[in-house]
Amino acid sequence: MEFTDEQVQRYSRHIILPEVGGKGQKKLLAAKVFLVGAGGLGCPVGYYLAAAGVGTLGIVDDDIVELSNLQRQIAHNTKRVGMPKVESAKKTFEALNPDVKVNAMKGRLTKDNILDIIKDYDIVVDGSDNFPTRYLVNDACVMLKKPLVSGAILRFEGQVTTLLPHDGHCYRCLFEAPPPPGLVPSCQEAGVLGVLPGVIGALEATEVLKLILGRGDVLKNTLLIYDALKASFRRVKVPRNPDCPICGAHPAITKLEDYDAGYCQLGG
Amino acid sequence: MKEKAPDKKIDIRGLVCPYTFVKAKLAIEDMEVGQVLEIVLDYPEAVSNIPKSMQDHGQAVLKVEQSGGKDWIITVRKEKD
Ligand SMILES: [Zn+2]
């Protein structure tokens, strides 16, 4: 494939980088990335991946745009209140870069549909903010051996990690099972500084680009924790658990399950 | 030793920075190590920028010469993929 004049201009700041170049840009254009959620994290991740020229983006989300989302979910806008989030995100990303094809799916990932939905993508990005989805996505990615970039945000703190199944840790190596609903912060407690998902989403997008380009180090076996109030980053080592119920030597979990939805939907 | 004929030539007259380097870099990426690229250009700043950038990227600049009028010819040998 040859770049058009427009592409040479659009991606010139990438092409100039020795670590990217024309070859790297072609890898980005050929890449397929699946975003779980078009909320706080999904918006900046998708926005930057679209800008970078990642050729195919899949997005799933069940929600519609609400005014209360707009404090942080930057791919949506006031006129789109009431529109499905995936539709709004698709409009925004495709308007930013016509090289990007967005496959929008309004709905929920379940144990019955997830494997089929994500199987054709190279990388999955978890921007959900509920435990049932997080575990479902983790388990599906381990089963399909698909790289998963995972982010989470709450109040002033966020974290990012990159799961490379059967090579590095997975989410269950860290916490074997979802916490019971009572231990999860309630909705009232779950405020979030509007810019925080932007920071964490940009870090997730960076991980994705490095995975596609095969450059640099990703957050394998590492949790990167950002504290916005302290303006500090912390790295925590996460070893693989040899007895992990899904990626260990003798996995107890051999099929996907849907956890009870008795959790507050924080909506990213 | 006789000068080796270039393996590829690009004419980027009319282009300005940074597209001069972008085009030159794209051209050299598609070549094999050891091959020589000849670049014809007329943007004055690029006459010094392209050789510098090519060297920064590990390529060997063989020649920078004015070819009459406003045109310049830069020849670069690919040393590094
Ligand atoms: Zn594990």
Side-chain angles (χ1 to χ4, degrees):
Chain A
M1 160 237 159
E2 287 298 310
F3 291 114
T4 62
D5 286 347
E6 198 177 276
Q7 286 175 322
V8 168
Q9 290 187 39
R10 181 181 290 272
Y11 305 119
S12 58
R13 296 310 194 272
H14 267 168
I15 293 167
I16 287 169
L17 287 172
E19 292 80 359
V20 183
K23 286 179 182 163
Q25 188 60 51
K26 285 176 188 174
K27 286 186 191 170
L28 296 176
L29 286 163
K32 297 177 170 186
V33 177
F34 190 80
L35 309 176
V36 180
L41 292 170
C43 285
V45 174
Y47 228 140
Y48 271 114
L49 294 183
V54 171
T56 306
L57 293 175
I59 323 178
V60 64
D61 201 306
D62 198 24
D63 291 339
I64 58 161
V65 177
E66 295 176 38
L67 261 185
S68 65
N69 302 147
L70 302 182
Q71 162 253 24
R72 64 198 178 285
Q73 300 185 14
I74 57 168
H76 313 309
N77 65 48
T78 312
K79 279 189 186 147
R80 297 193 191 149
V81 169
M83 181 187 286
K85 283 186 185 176
V86 289
E87 195 183 314
S88 167
K90 178 180 165 74
K91 278 182 198 288
T92 300
F93 302 158
E94 289 183 346
L96 171 62
N97 187 350
D99 287 342
V100 180
K101 182 180 187 304
V102 178
N103 301 322
M105 187 195 130
K106 186 180 184 305
R108 278 192 173 282
L109 293 176
T110 68
K111 65 178 170 49
D112 299 317
N113 68 14
I114 186 168
L115 294 175
D116 204 43
I117 290 169
I118 68 173
K119 71 175 191 307
D120 293 329
Y121 290 88
D122 306 312
I123 299 168
V124 177
V125 182
D126 188 3
S128 72
D129 216 350
N130 66 81
F131 287 100
T133 305
R134 193 171 293 277
Y135 279 81
L136 179 69
V137 171
N138 177 77
D139 295 353
C141 286
V142 171
M143 285 176 179
L144 295 175
K145 295 189 174 63
K146 226 168 257 297
L148 168 62
V149 178
S150 179
I153 46 166
L154 191 64
R155 291 189 278 264
F156 294 94
E157 200 175 270
Q159 43 182 259
V160 192
T161 186
T162 295
L163 315 179
L164 303 176
H166 302 288
D167 180 14
H169 75 298
C170 84
Y171 210 74
R172 285 189 195 269
C173 292
L174 198 54
F175 306 108
E176 285 201 3
L183 288 181
V184 179
S186 70
C187 293
Q188 291 91 323
E189 290 172 300
V192 61
L193 188 72
V195 73
L196 184 66
V199 176
I200 300 302
L203 290 169
E204 287 191 280
T206 310
E207 291 289 289
V208 171
L209 295 184
K210 288 186 296 181
L211 285 170
I212 297 169
L213 295 169
R215 293 286 184 168
D217 301 313
V218 293
L219 292 164
K220 182 175 102 171
N221 292 331
T222 307
L223 199 58
L224 182 65
I225 301 171
Y226 172 62
D227 183 326
L229 286 179
K230 291 183 184 153
S232 75
F233 281 99
R234 221 154 32 94
R235 290 170 75 98
V236 178
K237 280 273 154 213
V238 186
R240 247 189 104 179
N241 174 6
D243 301 319
C244 172
I246 185 133
C247 81
H250 306 286
I253 299 168
T254 52
K255 59 181 178 53
L256 297 172
E257 65 179 296
D258 290 322
Y259 289 94
D260 189 82
Y263 293 93
C264 171
Q265 303 296 314
L266 303 179
Chain B
M1 202 177 95
K2 197 172 168 289
E3 212 172 273
K4 188 173 179 283
D7 299 281
K8 189 195 257 187
K9 294 183 184 189
I10 56 168
D11 183 347
I12 53 171
R13 282 176 296 182
L15 285 185
V16 299
C17 289
Y19 305 110
T20 45
F21 179 59
V22 171
K23 283 283 194 186
K25 185 166 187 292
L26 285 172
I28 211 158
E29 273 187 31
D30 286 336
M31 296 167 65
E32 306 294 329
V33 169
Q35 289 189 320
V36 172
L37 171 68
E38 182 181 287
I39 306 158
V40 182
L41 70 160
D42 61 4
Y43 188 67
E45 270 180 53
V47 175
S48 51
N49 287 349
I50 287 187
K52 186 177 180 306
S53 301
M54 283 294 176
Q55 277 164 350
D56 288 348
H57 282 66
Q59 315 305 353
V61 178
L62 304 179
K63 204 167 60 181
V64 180
E65 63 180 20
Q66 199 150 17
S67 76
K70 302 196 278 104
D71 296 352
W72 289 75
I73 294 175
I74 299 173
T75 48
V76 181
R77 189 178 59 231
K78 181 164 178 169
E79 302 283 307
K80 214 179 115 183
D81 226 344

